Amino acid sequence: MTFKEQIQQGIPSILPQKKEYDPAINHAPKRKEILSAEEKKLALKNALRYFEPQHHAELIQEFSEELETYGRIYMYRLRPDYRMYARPIDEYPGKSLQAKAIMHMIQNNLDYAVAQHPHELITYGGNGAVFQNWAQYLLTMQYLSEMTDEQTLTMYSGHPMGLFPSHSEAPRVVVTNGMVIPNYSKPDDWEKMNALGVSQYGQMTAGSYMYIGPQGIVHGTTITVLNGFRKIKQNPEGSLFVTSGLGGMSGAQPKAGNIAGCITVCAEVNPKITKIRHEQGWINEIVTSTEELVQRVASAKAKKETVSIAYLGNVVDVWECFDKENIKIDLGSDQTSLHNPWAGGYYPVGISFEEANEMMANNPDLFKEKVQESLRRQALAINKHTAKGTYFFDYGNAFLLEASRAGADVMAENNIDFKYPSYVQDIMGPMCFDYGFGPFRWVCVSGKPEDLQKTDAIASQILEEMAKTAPNEIQQQMQDNIKWIKGAQENKLVVGSQARILYADAEGRIKIAEAFNQAIAKGEIGAVVLGRDHHDVSGTDSPYRETSNIYDGSRFTADMAIHNVIGDSFRGATWVSIHNGGGVGWGEVINGGFGMVLDGSKEASKRLASMLFWDVNNGISRRSWARNDEAIFAIKRAMQVEPLLKVTLPNLVDEKLF
């Protein structure tokens, strides 16, 4: 069968041969035993409902074995034989250009060069899934190949509920992930519902088909590291940044350190992913002993090198060793997947990677004890370094949250706040999000590198023109992004789809998008998908990350994220998503995203202007109401530009009255 025929087939009526487990692939760890005997029976019933009854006898034993062996039913047998990557849009079957673009984006999320655990349909973060099983993937792709622009596909945590009649201005796909009742949003609730096959953790861009490989987080991390050094008034040259994690998101850190111009040490316990990041050029060197690491860092400091070093081992050993050897750490952070601490997101010190994986599955209580013990040691070592002048920030991965739950010394004197700031609190919130600057991204679905080069040039020209008249308050943001986009090609940031990201405000996003649409209309480039990271101005309500610099008591509310996805839906988004969970954990955040296809039409021009304006200013309005000075400045400026925008502004109270 051709590729198109396989897509159109969906779940095959004749079952393919059972596939052997490939040990060369980076697989998800075994999930812990959580289902009762009756619940296992229910999980099997749930999985078998995708198949005609004549196949049940053959599949029930196989799925039972998967559940026992891996803690989940992935349906490995149905994994396609064709190569998984974002094909040029013309290679997809279908009646709708928008639907073909979504297929392009789905396959990019599952590309072996992009996905963390591709055979388990997990893009990043240890559990950030596109689908729960391969039947869902096959059925979704089939629906998209049949869809017209008068239908909408609804996705329930990876399950394609079906195609419903709608209209051409409606979203083609509406995605929800993990939207469970709040009282059932504890980590074990996710483990159980995911094992049953009824809910999934979509992370952020994983479950909303908008991941563009590590490039997205490279840019955000570069901005964070640069601004971190600015905050401590230190030149990155010859300065040391220490962190951990080389996964789908955290793997961007060493590359960002290189772009910022510092020395980066990034610890990682998984040898497979370390090797992959080295082969991809995201890290320069791999070191396997702390003795060698100390010598290498001392040499780099003396020569003021720009270099990224992966330490294959536990980050706790690095923090403790550098304290003992008096290696000065200038910036410190952590980006292990602590939103998922008990299932592979964080590995305890003093135990091998293999031993930890076995303990995680077979003795989860002991594993949890070891993780919490390790967090206490890591926090203690960090405290010793900060006493010597290190600037440590939480990278929104729930490090401080889980460390506090483990009893580590990370709380401020009031015993309410953490003693270290979130990077959003200190850096990204006031410097970027409050002004409306966030991670705007686009994908050239033609698959042509030359199209991406043309869009880079368009974006660069527009930003330079805007910078000429931009107010002083946002000149730094403008210049950082002009520098970024000009260096994007030479930094070889593309992994997977022909994608790009930069931080832009509503004005910049609209102007860049309109210029793309005009170029498409003239035949200069092919169709373009617009999107953003959920980690943005208004898509996400996350009290320990995206909204950690909201101080009016509303940071634990999620009205903004819900309004955002509803508003995007009727203003022209091609697909929308809303998730429970994200970078800081299940039950800790509500976050939403979108995708928009530009095809050169007048309708696309109208949609982009309406939707992008709302998508950003919704968040600025909320941040303004929280009395954030930068957001008040930004929303007043937006109201001057758009007379139809009328936002309620806060009246500030004189502190002397108290």
Side-chain angles (χ1 to χ4, degrees):
M1 297 175 73
T2 66
F3 168 72
K4 287 185 177 180
E5 288 170 340
Q6 289 182 74
I7 292 293
Q8 291 169 322
Q9 173 186 230
I11 299 172
S13 56
I14 300 174
L15 293 179
Q17 291 295 310
K18 186 177 179 181
K19 286 185 169 61
E20 294 296 322
Y21 185 86
D22 185 353
I25 295 295
N26 191 35
H27 287 284
K30 180 186 176 182
R31 307 304 183 186
K32 69 179 180 181
E33 185 87 13
I34 198 163
L35 300 182
S36 67
E38 197 60 30
E39 286 167 336
K40 287 179 181 178
K41 181 179 175 182
L42 180 58
L44 289 168
K45 280 185 177 181
N46 289 344
L48 290 169
R49 59 185 160 177
Y50 286 101
F51 302 91
E52 296 172 5
Q54 66 264 31
H55 300 309
H56 290 182
E58 182 178 356
L59 291 175
I60 192 167
Q61 185 63 38
E62 184 177 323
F63 289 170
S64 180
E65 288 173 3
E66 284 190 14
L67 190 58
E68 293 295 330
T69 306
Y70 311 114
R72 297 293 185 271
I73 300 172
Y74 296 114
M75 307 183 188
Y76 289 122
R77 175 195 288 255
L78 296 183
R79 184 168 50 79
D81 292 321
Y82 52 73
R83 184 183 154 211
M84 189 67 71
Y85 72 104
R87 290 163 170 75
I89 194 168
D90 293 339
E91 294 186 20
Y92 292 97
K95 304 167 186 175
S96 165
L97 176 74
Q98 295 181 4
K100 290 181 182 181
I102 297 169
M103 286 193 269
H104 176 101
M105 301 299 290
I106 287 173
Q107 289 206 306
N108 186 67
N109 270 26
L110 296 172
D111 185 333
Y112 284 24
V114 173
Q116 183 183 18
H117 304 306
H119 286 192
E120 289 78 35
L121 302 116
I122 290 170
T123 303
Y124 62 84
N127 58 358
V130 189
F131 302 99
Q132 296 180 66
N133 58 59
W134 285 103
Q136 292 178 346
Y137 164 82
L138 295 177
L139 193 52
T140 299
M141 296 295 277
Q142 181 186 36
Y143 277 137
L144 290 169
S145 74
E146 296 171 353
M147 173 188 284
T148 73
D149 286 340
E150 300 291 328
Q151 290 173 300
T152 293
L153 174 63
T154 57
M155 300 294 301
Y156 280 42
S157 281
H159 169 65
M161 188 62 73
L163 291 171
F164 292 83
S166 58
H167 55 85
S168 60
E169 295 301 309
R172 297 282 68 79
V173 180
V174 175
V175 179
T176 57
N177 281 302
M179 298 305 291
V180 304
I181 307 303
N183 273 356
Y184 304 92
S185 211
K186 297 182 292 295
D188 273 359
D189 293 325
W190 170 74
E191 291 280 359
K192 179 167 288 191
M193 283 183 270
N194 194 224
L196 287 171
V198 296
S199 192
Q200 75 171 11
Y201 193 89
Q203 259 282 354
M204 302 180 96
T205 52
S208 59
Y209 325 144
M210 190 46 72
Y211 189 57
I212 58 169
Q215 178 184 172
I217 190 65
V218 167
H219 180 254
T221 306
T222 300
I223 297 291
T224 301
V225 172
L226 281 173
N227 284 326
F229 281 117
R230 286 171 184 149
K231 187 169 184 65
I232 62 175
K233 296 179 173 58
Q234 189 162 322
N235 192 322
E237 186 181 348
S239 298
L240 177 61
F241 172 44
V242 170
T243 185
S244 58
L246 286 173
M249 301 298 281
S250 54
Q253 295 176 107
K255 184 75 168 180
N258 281 358
I259 296 171
C262 63
I263 302 161
T264 305
V265 170
C266 192
E268 171 58 61
V269 296
N270 185 335
K272 283 184 183 176
I273 198 63
T274 305
K275 181 172 180 287
I276 288 169
R277 292 289 174 246
H278 187 247
E279 289 170 349
Q280 289 176 337
W282 296 87
I283 51 176
N284 299 129
E285 302 170 14
I286 299 174
V287 170
T288 56
S289 74
T290 53
E291 293 80 10
E292 185 185 354
L293 183 64
V294 166
Q295 293 174 4
R296 184 66 187 92
V297 168
S299 171
K301 277 177 167 278
K303 297 175 183 176
K304 292 190 174 181
E305 288 182 69
T306 295
V307 64
S308 54
I309 305 161
Y311 171 67
L312 184 55
N314 199 288
V315 72
V316 179
D317 290 327
V318 177
W319 283 104
E320 292 179 343
C321 172
F322 281 11
D323 173 51
K324 181 181 177 183
E325 299 294 332
N326 278 318
I327 299 288
K328 172 69 186 304
I329 299 172
D330 301 289
L331 288 187
S333 193
D334 185 280
Q335 210 178 118
T336 50
S337 296
L338 271 160
H339 68 276
N340 183 32
W342 324 126
Y346 182 94
Y347 282 78
V349 66
I351 303 172
S352 74
F353 182 60
E354 293 75 15
E355 288 174 317
N357 279 328
E358 184 179 346
M359 186 187 296
M360 189 192 311
N362 300 323
N363 195 345
D365 291 338
L366 179 59
F367 182 78
K368 182 175 180 178
E369 284 180 27
K370 294 294 184 183
V371 165
Q372 293 191 320
E373 178 187 319
S374 192
L375 284 167
R376 290 192 291 271
R377 275 179 59 179
Q378 185 172 345
L380 178 62
I382 289 168
N383 291 342
K384 290 180 179 179
H385 281 278
T386 57
K388 300 176 187 178
T390 297
Y391 173 69
F392 182 85
F393 58 90
D394 184 286
Y395 214 141
N397 63 329
F399 171 74
L400 291 177
L401 182 64
E402 286 302 332
S404 69
R405 289 168 175 169
D409 180 16
V410 294
M411 301 306 295
E413 289 183 8
N414 63 13
N415 212 33
I416 297 171
D417 301 314
F418 297 126
K419 66 168 63 179
Y420 302 115
S422 153
Y423 75 118
V424 174
Q425 268 180 293
D426 244 20
I427 300 171
M428 301 305 283
M431 294 183 183
C432 294
F433 291 170
D434 284 353
Y435 284 117
F437 282 82
F440 177 58
R441 57 180 59 172
W442 64 89
V443 178
C444 297
V445 291
S446 66
K448 297 177 181 177
E450 56 266 34
D451 277 10
L452 185 60
Q453 290 175 11
K454 290 174 185 175
T455 59
D456 283 346
I458 290 170
S460 180
Q461 182 181 354
I462 286 171
L463 290 177
E464 287 183 319
E465 194 62 34
M466 288 176 59
K468 292 176 183 177
T469 57
N472 290 334
E473 286 87 345
I474 60 172
Q475 276 294 335
Q476 184 68 69
Q477 291 89 330
M478 298 296 295
Q479 296 307 320
D480 280 350
N481 280 287
I482 290 168
K483 180 181 178 182
W484 166 268
I485 197 71
K486 284 188 170 182
Q489 295 285 336
E490 64 188 61
N491 284 318
K492 298 179 181 177
L493 297 163
V494 170
V495 177
S497 59
Q498 294 296 317
R500 186 67 72 227
I501 186 171
L502 55 78
Y503 267 45
D505 60 6
E507 180 187 5
R509 299 183 203 204
I510 291 168
K511 285 184 174 178
I512 291 168
E514 178 57 31
F516 290 169
N517 203 47
Q518 290 178 15
I520 296 165
K522 294 174 185 174
E524 295 171 358
I525 58 175
V528 170
V529 167
L530 301 180
R532 59 163 169 75
D533 197 342
H534 297 213
H535 173 61
D536 199 1
V537 180
S538 68
T540 297
D541 281 296
S542 180
Y544 296 108
R545 197 161 81 173
E546 283 78 6
T547 44
S548 60
N549 69 319
I550 299 292
Y551 301 111
D552 67 350
S554 71
R555 65 179 181 153
F556 293 96
T557 66
D559 301 80
M560 180 178 72
I562 299 302
H563 272 288
N564 187 260
V565 74
I566 294 171
D568 285 356
S569 295
F570 66 76
R571 285 178 172 88
T574 304
W575 73 96
V576 292
S577 61
I578 190 77
H579 305 170
N580 168 20
V584 295
W586 178 265
E588 302 288 353
V589 51
I590 299 296
N591 69 85
F594 77 87
M596 174 179 277
V597 177
L598 301 183
D599 58 7
S601 66
K602 291 180 181 178
E603 291 77 14
S605 181
K606 181 181 177 182
R607 287 195 294 266
L608 73 87
S610 174
M611 201 219 75
L612 293 175
F613 186 84
W614 156 259
D615 191 67
V616 175
N617 283 294
N618 167 50
I620 299 176
S621 302
R622 186 269 178 93
R623 294 167 185 278
S624 164
W625 188 239
R627 295 183 289 270
N628 292 12
D629 290 339
E630 297 85 357
I632 293 172
F633 165 84
I635 203 64
K636 284 181 177 179
R637 186 165 172 254
M639 285 192 282
Q640 290 173 354
V641 172
E642 174 52 77
L644 293 178
L645 179 66
K646 303 288 183 184
V647 172
T648 309
L649 294 174
N651 292 296
L652 305 182
V653 182
D654 187 341
E655 286 292 324
K656 293 177 183 177
L657 292 175
F658 295 95

